[in-house]
Structure formats: structure tokens, C-alpha cells
Amino acid sequence: MTIDFETPKPIAQMQTMLQTVAENMMRTTSREFDENEHAIPWGYVEFMHTAMRSMGGGGGLTVTDDKPKEGAEKRPPIGYQKLAAQIEMLSWGDVGYYLITPGGGLGAAAVQAAGNAGQKAKFLARFNDDKPTYAAMCMTEPGAGSDTSAIRARAVLDEKTNEWIINGEKIFVTAGDKSFTEYEKLGKGFVVVWASIDPSAGRSGMRAFVVESGAPGVKVTKLEHKLGIRASDTASISLVDARVPFENILGSPTVEKSTTGFKGAMATFDATRPLVAASGLGVARAALEFLKEKLKENGVEIRYGLPRQKLSNIEREVFDMEIMLKSSWLMVLKAVWMADNKKPNALESSMSKVKAGDVTTKVTQKAVEILGPLGYSREFLLEKWFRDAKITDIYEGTGQINRLVVARQILGYSGAELR
Amino acid sequence: MYSFEPNEEQQMLIDAVGKYAANDLRPAAHDAEESRELPKKLVSKGWELGFLQASTPEAYGGFGERSAVTGALALEEMAFGDLAGALAVLTPSLFATPILLGGSEEQKQEYLPRIVGGDWAPYTAALMEMSFDFDPNALKTSAKADGDNYILNGEKIFVPFAKDAEALIVYANLDGVTQGFIVTKGSAGLSISEEREKVMGLNALPMYRVKLENVSASRLGGASGHDFELILSAMRIASASAAVGVARSSFEYAKNYAKERDAFGVKIAQKQAIAFMLAEMATEIEAMRLLTWEAAWKLDNNKDDAHIAAYLAQTGAADMVMMVTDRGVQIYGGHGYIRENPVELLMRNGRGFSSLLGLVIL
């Protein structure tokens, strides 16, 4: 190995293809589904499902890696890198759409990370069926965000029926509606609900449960109205004496002293943070490209190579935005490259999210500012991208939580030492 | 194929330079700055690491190929030790690398073997001029053709080791284009200031002002000249990687200090106000390191946008190093302002990156 920044061919080809999808299936209707908040762009959903199935990528946007042709030289894995590039390009098209790309999403990721072989076989096969199918993760509660130890949902085993009885209230469930509500055009999905089987045990008592669509006692109670990413449904799900089969628990049904089970689940965030970063950077790239295009149309030249003192303010801003965007993307690439090569990447993963949260927010803010009324008008998509962008610094751990993770890593501190 | 891993040879170089930076340059930095003197032995020890020698092909007396990526890796390590020391060690490259990149075969044969084959010797270059909006592509120093030679007029500032230089490359404006010219010691019309330049930092590096009055010189690359943009980008990438090294040094001092210093019953690093500053410093350093690597890789691989990448890397790294070294001082509090502690020098050196160009090349 040596330091190399050449885009691997399979990634470059995939980017070209997805750019066509983004231009023809996403950008064309972006505005429509931003203004009709809870409408579902079925055209995109069905197209993506068919396309992903035909490419053998059943299960939606997951880590897939082409097997090298027989006799071909073995090459290092690039599955995560490919996924990050896919997500970046789809988000460049429309991040709201990207978030409703059919598949298992974070729900399936939890099964993949914490489920046993039987559970994987049972719960994950459906994503390759005829109809697009969704799964979602229910972690957040009204009183518990990044501090997952504050989760109050309870699961109690009913030994007579061998079922878990779950009570709790979950909010901010991305794709929660499509995962739980039964739609004719969709397959039967599920949500993964985090609840405690022993509140006295703190984090080590926390478990994830697969709750199938239509389970008794479970209801989608609300669809949020949001600042941006409006094509993506964000659901509240209430569980009142919900009954779930015993075997739907992910991980051990008894509580041990160690928190390894929980930490294992948390480790999935190391894998997903750079992907969220990639998504944000797709939005930022769209905004920066739009800005440069409009400046060019208006006869504003961007002159590279001049000393700072000779640059116009707009030129300085554009260069700063390019520097932010390019370097932030490289941090994402490094984090996913590490994941592909099985190198521990908790630090790089959180760093890439810290940076991308800032960059995505700043680039879209600046683009709107520089373009004045053109930036603020709903005639163009830029104002939408500004609203879409903000979520990057919030979900999958806010910028502040990720700073805390980065700080603990670089200082060698535990959660108790740096609270 | 993406990869972020230095190869084995590069890793060996990083380790060797890292050892020299930590064990030799760093401990000497404070006294060198205060006394305005770098120990000769320190510089020759750095020279013996063989960085320039390893970047010069065998045909010209070296034992390797130049690579901006390898250079960026090595320079970050060296600048982590001490910026003035690193610039001094690499001063002969200011003369040799442009010859390698743009010199004629004759010029390569004449200069490269004797530079890379010998002890560290003061070969240097003069790019900067005293103007607030100094622009390497719009120099005030002029060159005019005169038969096979060229006549140079103008004034150059911040020229490292000019006093004793055997020869130097002077960059000048030839019909609106920047070109390098080889000026040898004792040329008529060449005058070098008695006094050393005094700047905010880098006091250990002897820099001089150079005046050129109808100095006769030969053109880098011979009659057809050379591609200045390639040289400029190599300077920009060098500047960016040195900035990353300086920033990393300040970050490391600040991090260690914050883990030692008590306040209100805990270490100050245990306060989010400090911990978050450190997290952001580490993040920005990593961001600019990767941007610099990519620019260097693009230059090595002749990518179309290599020059833009080098420009952006330099610009971004200059901003980053100011932010990081300022915070280094801030985290030390009052102690950071005292010259006994290392972070104020790093801040002074950090400020230079937005103003200085052509003091180092890869």
C-alpha cells in the first residue's frame, strides 16, 4: 500500500450512474416533495428498489463489494468506500429522498450487528422481495437523545406466553412510518426498539427488540413537520403493552455485569457516522456547485492562485468553502477506508462527523448569503438545501456529542473522566 | 484505489525524521530562537538524513526519485520538531529542487552532483519581495534578455543563508512571466545585506535582503525556460505540510499541558471548554493534512487540477495553523505568553504561513 487518491473504477462507474438518477429522478421533483411534506415519491422508491435488486444489492444501501473476477488480482475491500460515495451522490440529488431509499437502514444494521444467525435469516431476507421494504431504529425518546442511558422504555418477559411486553414512547424514528405502517405498495417491515430489561442495571440492561409491522399495542402516533429533509418521514411510535415474541430480542435475554452488548451496538455508530457525514457533504457539494454556476452566469470570475490580498470577498469565501468541502470529504474517505480495512476508526469516524456537520452547515449558509435574493427564493433549490443541511450536525450524534467522543479519544479519557 | 497508508520506505523516512525532530530539533528550538543561531551540527545531522539525496536520481548523484507525497510526510515531521531548523536543513533544496524540476540537462549536471554529494552547503533561492500583496506571479524584480544571458534588477527579501550562498535562484519577471535565474556568488551588481532580516518568528534562520543591479544570470531551463507553476505548487505543498507539522506541535504541547494543569479540582482537559478546543484542533489538523496529501499526490501524478489543489491546501493550512497555534497559547493561559514555554514561538511561526512563500520546497 501507498498513499493513493485515485477513485476506484467500480466507485467512479457507480457515481456516474447515480448522478443520472439524481438529475432525472430526484432534482426534478425535489421541490414538489419538499412542499408536500408527507407525500411519498413512489417513483423514486420503486425505481431504486428495482435497480438495487437487479444489481444484486438486496437489502437496500448496504456494504457490498464486487467479487474480483476469477484469476484477477486480489484487491483490498472497498464496500464502505462505495457506500459512502453512493450516499454522497444520492444526497447531492436530494437528501430527503436518499433517506427513504428502500431497505433495512439502521433497523437492519442493528440486526446485523447484534442478531444471531437465525434472526439474521428471518429478519433480513425480506429486503430482497418484490416490494420495497423498510426497517427503522427506535432509540430516541422525549427525554433521551444522545444520553441513551436515560431511555425509559421497559421490556418485561411474560413467562406464561413467552412474550416480551414493551412499554415506551419513541420519537424521531427515521422511516418509522414506512417501516411500521402497512402500505399496499410496501412489503412488511419492522422497527428495532431499544428498551431496558433491567432498569437497575443501567446501560447493560438495554436491549434491542425487533417489532414487526402491525404488532399489537404499537402505533405510529405522529409524523413530524420539519425544517428540512421533508421527503423523509420522521415518526413517533408509542408502545402500550406491546407484545413481541421472546426470540425477537437481539442479544442475551439475561443481564450480565459487563456492558459489552451495549458497546457492540454503539460500535455500529462508528460505521454509520462517516456515512451521515458523506450524506451532508453531498448536500454541501450541491450548494457549492449551484453557487459557482450562478456566479459564472452573472459574470463573476473565480481566480485561483492569487494572494489573499488580491482576492474579492466572494473569491475568498468560495475558496474557503472548497477547502472545507474537499478536506471534509477526505476525512470521510479515510474513515470508511479504515472500516474496509478493519482498522479501528472510532476517532476518525467521529472526527469526520464533527467536520462534516460544520462544513455542511457553513457551506449552505454562505451560499445562501452570497446569492442574496437568489439564495432565499424558493424559485431555486438552494434555500431547501440550506434547510436540509442542518440535520447533518444533529442526527447520529450532534456535533457536540461527537466533539466529546473525539476529545475522549485524543485525551485517553473515559466517560467518567470527561463527562 | 484509495489508501491512506504510507509505504514501507516512506514509513522508514517518517520514523527517522520523526526521531531527529523529537530528539534534536525540538530540544534546541527555544535556545536557537533566542540566540538567533542554529548549531551547525544540528543542521548537518538533519542533512545526513538524506532527504534531498533520496529525491535526486542516481544520474545526478542521488539515490531516488522525487515525490511530493514523500516530501510532505517528511516535512510535516521535521516542522513538528522546529520550523526554523527544518527550513535550514532543507535550504539547499530551494536551489536543487527547481533545477531538478525545470533545469536544463547541463544545469542538472553542473549543480546537482556537487550539492547532493557534499556536506550541507548554502545554496538558496530568492522569491519574496517587500510588498503587502506580494504575488509570485507578478514580481517586481525584472529580467531582460541580453544575448544568451539575462539582466536582473530588483530587491528580494527573506533569502535564507544568502550571505554565504555559493549560488542562488532568483525569481524575476520576464515579459510578465515568472522565471528562475541562476546567480552565482560574487556576481557583479549582486549585493547582500550585512544585517540579517528581523521578522516575528524564525529568528534562528539567517535570512538576508538581496539587491540586484544589472546582475547577469543564466535562465533556469536554458533558453526555453521552465514551467514556474510546477515549482510554485511544490512550494505551496511544502508550506502546507510544514504548517501541519507546526500545528501538530502546538496541539501536542497544549494537550499534554491540559492533562497536567489542575483547576477546580480537575485537570483542565476534563473541562469541555478545553477538551472541545483540543478536539477541534485535532480535527482541523487532520483535515489539512489530508488535503495536503491529496494535493501532493495530484502533483506527483500530473493531475489537471494539481495546481489548484496545491493553492487550496496552502491557503487552508495557513488558516488552520493560525487557529491551532493561537489556541495552543490560549490553553496554556498566562504561561502560554511566556517565552520559556514553547507555544508562543509556535504561534509566531504559525502566523508566518499566510505571508511567507518560497522559504521551502519539496
Side-chain angles (χ1 to χ4, degrees):
Chain A
M1 285 260 197
T2 187
I3 291 167
D4 193 348
F5 292 93
E6 195 76 62
T7 308
K9 264 205 191 111
I11 293 182
Q13 285 164 352
M14 181 275 304
Q15 282 171 321
T16 311
M17 194 193 72
L18 286 184
Q19 187 175 334
T20 316
V21 175
E23 282 166 350
N24 299 312
M25 297 209 66
M26 304 171 93
R27 292 281 182 92
T28 45
T29 49
S30 261
R31 177 59 70 194
E32 183 189 336
F33 286 94
D34 180 60
E35 310 222 328
N36 298 289
E37 182 147 20
H38 295 135
I40 299 173
W42 288 112
Y44 172 77
V45 169
E46 285 169 343
F47 170 81
M48 284 302 282
H49 182 62
T50 312
M52 289 186 300
R53 276 182 90 204
S54 72
M55 290 189 305
L61 292 168
T62 49
V63 176
T64 54
D65 207 350
D66 309 327
K67 289 196 182 88
K69 288 187 189 107
E70 229 172 281
E73 217 179 304
K74 246 192 160 177
R75 59 158 174 73
I78 57 166
Y80 268 109
Q81 295 162 61
K82 206 167 134 195
L83 183 56
Q86 275 172 337
I87 290 172
E88 195 270 352
M89 188 59 88
L90 288 174
S91 304
W92 175 84
D94 186 307
V95 63
Y97 281 28
Y98 150 62
L99 289 166
I100 55 157
T101 305
L106 289 176
V111 174
Q112 194 74 48
N116 58 38
Q119 290 170 325
K120 286 183 197 174
K122 181 174 175 196
F123 297 122
L124 299 180
R126 67 188 73 188
F127 300 107
N128 206 21
D129 286 350
D130 288 351
K131 287 181 180 177
T133 305
Y134 292 84
M137 176 99 101
C138 307
M139 176 98 76
T140 304
E141 297 181 1
S146 294
D147 181 6
T148 47
S149 67
I151 285 176
R152 292 177 65 184
R154 275 292 317 260
V156 181
L157 185 63
D158 180 347
E159 288 180 355
K160 279 185 231 151
T161 60
N162 207 26
E163 286 173 319
W164 296 98
I165 303 171
I166 307 179
N167 280 285
E169 198 186 344
K170 295 292 179 180
I171 60 167
F172 300 168
V173 182
T174 299
D177 183 49
K178 292 183 189 63
S179 301
F180 194 80
T181 306
E182 290 175 19
Y183 284 92
E184 205 178 312
K185 291 182 180 177
L186 299 182
K188 191 178 163 65
F190 62 81
V191 292
V192 171
V193 175
W194 288 80
S196 176
I197 56 173
D198 180 0
S200 69
R203 280 202 173 118
S204 43
M206 219 67 84
R207 290 294 179 278
F209 298 85
V210 176
V211 178
E212 292 273 9
S213 147
V218 188
K219 256 193 205 140
V220 173
T221 51
K222 187 184 178 190
L223 294 180
E224 302 285 354
H225 294 88
K226 304 191 296 296
L227 173 64
I229 54 167
R230 291 181 184 166
S232 161
D233 56 296
T234 304
S236 297
I237 291 184
S238 94
L239 301 101
V240 180
D241 292 332
R243 290 193 166 259
V244 173
F246 175 78
E247 61 273 17
N248 283 23
I249 186 171
L250 301 177
S252 163
T254 55
V255 177
E256 299 100 30
K257 280 218 176 81
S258 84
T259 57
T260 47
F262 188 74
K263 275 186 182 154
M266 281 286 133
T268 57
F269 286 115
D270 292 345
T272 52
R273 276 177 181 150
L275 300 177
V276 171
S279 171
L281 295 177
V283 182
R285 183 164 65 87
L288 181 54
E289 283 175 7
F290 179 80
L291 169 65
K292 289 177 80 172
E293 196 185 295
K294 283 288 159 206
L295 289 175
K296 201 173 175 188
E297 264 176 48
N298 285 278
V300 180
E301 198 193 340
I302 302 296
R303 302 161 302 166
Y304 291 88
L306 288 179
R308 293 290 250 184
Q309 294 84 345
K310 287 185 178 175
L311 296 174
S312 70
N313 180 56
I314 288 179
E315 286 170 321
R316 289 181 76 146
E317 299 279 19
V318 168
F319 294 155
D320 286 345
M321 289 157 87
E322 287 191 11
I323 289 163
M324 284 192 266
L325 185 62
K326 282 172 197 284
S327 61
S328 188
W329 174 242
L330 292 174
M331 294 181 84
V332 169
L333 275 188
K334 184 174 174 184
V336 289
W337 169 81
M338 292 177 83
D340 276 330
N341 289 282
K342 309 274 179 285
K343 296 173 190 285
N345 71 343
L347 173 63
E348 286 76 8
S349 169
S350 285
M351 266 192 185
S352 75
K353 173 67 166 61
V354 166
K355 178 78 175 162
D358 273 352
V359 166
T360 307
T361 313
K362 279 184 197 156
V363 165
T364 52
Q365 283 174 0
K366 271 288 163 197
V368 169
E369 179 196 312
I370 292 171
L371 286 180
L374 274 66
Y376 207 70
S377 168
R378 282 200 275 167
E379 191 178 326
F380 302 107
L381 288 170
L382 182 56
E383 65 80 28
K384 173 186 179 296
W385 294 332
F386 163 87
R387 291 183 285 109
D388 287 346
K390 183 59 202 166
I391 194 64
T392 313
D393 206 21
I394 297 172
Y395 62 6
E396 213 74 11
T398 60
Q400 289 62 43
I401 282 295
N402 277 301
R403 275 167 175 77
L404 200 55
V405 176
V406 170
R408 283 176 188 155
Q409 293 266 347
I410 58 178
L411 290 161
Y413 280 162
S414 65
E417 287 167 308
L418 179 58
R419 301 187 72 84
Chain B
M1 194 67 58
Y2 299 126
S3 169
F4 295 84
E5 208 162 38
N7 65 31
E8 217 172 296
E9 255 172 66
Q10 288 168 334
Q11 194 54 54
M12 275 166 58
L13 180 70
I14 292 171
D15 293 344
V17 175
K19 220 182 248 174
Y20 166 72
N23 301 339
D24 299 287
L25 283 179
R26 231 180 187 206
H30 174 266
D31 289 353
E33 168 73 14
E34 295 289 325
S35 66
R36 308 186 76 218
E37 191 75 46
L38 277 165
K40 264 205 172 119
K41 263 195 185 159
L42 184 70
V43 176
S44 12
K45 193 168 177 186
W47 173 254
E48 281 154 19
L49 290 169
F51 174 66
L52 177 62
Q53 296 86 324
S55 313
T56 308
E58 260 174 66
Y60 310 115
F63 52 86
E65 288 296 328
R66 176 184 164 276
S67 146
V69 170
T70 306
L73 295 169
L75 181 52
E76 179 191 324
E77 286 304 317
M78 216 185 273
F80 170 82
D82 175 42
L83 184 61
L87 297 188
V89 168
L90 295 178
T91 292
S93 296
L94 289 176
F95 186 85
T97 303
I99 287 190
L100 201 57
L101 290 174
S104 65
E105 189 54 36
E106 203 186 328
Q107 289 164 343
K108 288 179 186 173
Q109 291 292 356
E110 183 178 352
Y111 290 105
L112 295 178
R114 80 163 106 136
I115 295 174
V116 298
D119 294 336
W120 182 96
Y123 287 87
T124 188
L127 175 67
M128 294 195 65
E129 296 170 351
M130 199 57 126
S131 116
F132 86 94
D133 57 351
F134 166 71
D135 182 349
N137 283 306
L139 296 177
K140 295 192 170 95
T141 300
S142 68
K144 281 203 172 59
D146 176 38
D148 286 346
N149 271 0
Y150 293 81
I151 303 296
L152 307 182
N153 278 289
E155 191 175 34
K156 293 291 183 180
I157 61 169
F158 304 167
V159 187
F161 294 98
K163 192 90 202 143
D164 310 308
E166 302 291 333
L168 67 158
I169 290 175
V170 174
Y171 294 95
N173 189 330
L174 178 68
D175 304 322
V177 176
T178 297
Q179 288 286 286
F181 298 87
I182 299 172
V183 175
T184 50
K185 195 176 190 169
S187 294
L190 173 72
S191 53
I192 294 159
S193 63
E194 279 302 313
E195 282 265 310
R196 274 165 58 175
E197 297 269 21
K198 288 177 181 154
V199 295
M200 195 194 317
L202 292 179
N203 283 301
L205 184 72
M207 296 193 291
Y208 298 86
R209 200 159 289 211
V210 171
K211 237 189 205 158
L212 303 124
E213 287 169 306
N214 296 319
V215 172
S216 176
S218 55
R219 186 177 180 181
L220 183 63
S224 53
H226 62 93
D227 176 9
F228 175 63
E229 213 172 14
L230 192 61
I231 292 172
L232 183 57
S233 289
M235 289 171 172
R236 293 197 197 280
I237 289 165
S239 169
S241 44
V244 173
V246 170
R248 211 181 86 205
S249 176
S250 181
F251 165 73
E252 196 182 286
Y253 278 124
K255 182 185 79 177
N256 293 339
Y257 180 79
K259 290 183 78 172
E260 290 294 316
R261 172 78 183 180
D262 293 293
F264 305 104
V266 293
K267 304 297 177 192
I268 60 168
Q270 291 176 273
K271 298 279 185 194
Q272 287 192 356
I274 302 295
F276 279 22
M277 283 168 82
L278 289 166
E280 286 166 6
M281 290 156 81
T283 302
E284 288 307 307
I285 291 170
E286 175 74 350
M288 289 309 125
R289 173 187 291 126
L290 296 179
L291 198 65
T292 304
W293 284 8
E294 190 194 34
W297 176 86
K298 284 182 171 175
L299 197 68
D300 283 344
N301 290 279
N302 297 314
K303 297 288 173 187
D304 290 342
D305 60 344
H307 299 307
I308 288 179
Y311 174 69
L312 294 179
Q314 183 205 4
T315 306
D319 282 349
M320 177 279 293
V321 68
M322 188 65 254
M323 181 278 271
V324 170
T325 55
D326 172 72
R327 287 183 175 196
V329 172
Q330 190 68 24
I331 289 170
Y332 267 70
H335 298 279
Y337 208 72
I338 307 295
R339 294 218 302 276
E340 261 169 49
N341 288 312
V343 284
E344 64 80 31
L345 171 59
L346 293 168
M347 183 179 172
R348 285 186 281 129
N349 286 344
R351 179 65 286 178
F353 285 96
S354 63
S355 316
L356 305 175
L357 186 64
L359 295 186
V360 63
I361 192 169
L362 292 175

